[in-house]
Amino acid sequence: MLTTIIYRSHIGKNTSEPEVKKFIEKANQRNAEAAVTGILLFDGEHFLQLLEGPEEEVETIYRVICEDSRHFSLTELLRDYSVERHFGNAGMELFDLRNYEKSAVLDAVLARATSKFKLTYDDRTLQFIKTFVECENKASYLELSESEQWQFELNEQPELVAEHSEELPYTFGFQPVINPSSRKILSYEAKMRAADGQSPLKFFAGLQRDEIYEVDLASKQTALEMAKSLGLNDYTLVLKLLPMTFVKNPEAVSFLLAAIEANGFVPQQIVISIAEDSVVNEDETFNAEIMKLKRAGIRLAIDNFGAGMAGLLLLTRIQPELVMVDSDMLRDVHKNGPKQAINQSIIKICSSLEIQVIASGITQIEEWSWLRLAGVKAFQGELFAGVLPRKLPAINWPVRH
């Protein structure tokens, strides 16, 4: 079985065209020796390359390409498998689009195809080539600057330790959601941890199903007490709850409202975050409880958006004010074409519905930079601030270097 990879990149500003021709000659020989073939399109600014061959050899060559400093903003567009090669004549065949009339380029590409089945314009591989040749989506090229560099300024938080009313097998840390461009803290999300500061999964694994929902609700009283003791009463607070907690606890909304008031918050400061990848078995009851929340002034967020199967449907049902995009959907987004396309669609949908997008789980400067170009303003993740049980973490604010 053959592996196919298609990527797009931008030529480096210090890379000359004679240098391009020279490294293509070397690459052609290297690829041919590894039984990797393909085609390389160049329009004077961007490259689009198709690589195909044995999986291990293609992966090895692609890793070398990714590390090459003579181009930047490399984005993987397709990774697929096939039973035969599309272009098997050369290790790397260069097509300089400037030497062809637009109307003739595709025919010239097709003429070099080696597939025993004639390539047609509905072939997905050819569609990438066609789109690149016709410059149909250049507006969607969100490219990081080759020379852009950032450093971070650490902003320490007050040395406070959160308190709560009783000893419990769990605690909370408060991770900020920030707008790095305006250096503004938008909210704090209460994140549960085991008493030793580690993940609470082991603790929850020891509970019966109904006990999980009871603890899930009761723990929000603790989160609010701790937020108060940390001086967060002037901030928006995000509390995460399982959807079935509302179904299994008929008094959940009343409990939350009482806890909010008892700790000096008002409902308008609270965002209840519902995980998209959680199962909801009783839709009507869940919807009714969500309406109670909204009537009380509490805002809603869909968490882990993109991780489950109900995302777009849930978006229509509960009309949240915020969407927190799943971290797996954002990991390496700056170099992953499918993730870029999906995230641009999410951003566009949410913009049309006046829903704020929060990019969560951000760990790399490049992820943040790409999402910022895509229009996201709210961010959360280890790049900016981690989770410290019972304390407020220091915040790293980016500064252009």
Side-chain angles (χ1 to χ4, degrees), residues 321-335:
E321 281 75 22
L322 302 96
V323 158
M324 306 178 79
V325 182
D326 184 69
S327 59
D328 285 340
M329 185 66 71
L330 301 177
R331 189 165 296 117
D332 292 329
V333 66
H334 57 288
K335 56 185 179 182

Side-chain angles (χ1 to χ4, degrees), residues 126-137:
L126 185 60
Q127 283 295 327
F128 278 104
I129 295 173
K130 179 176 181 290
T131 298
F132 181 78
V133 168
E134 296 179 352
C135 304
E136 289 181 350
N137 66 342

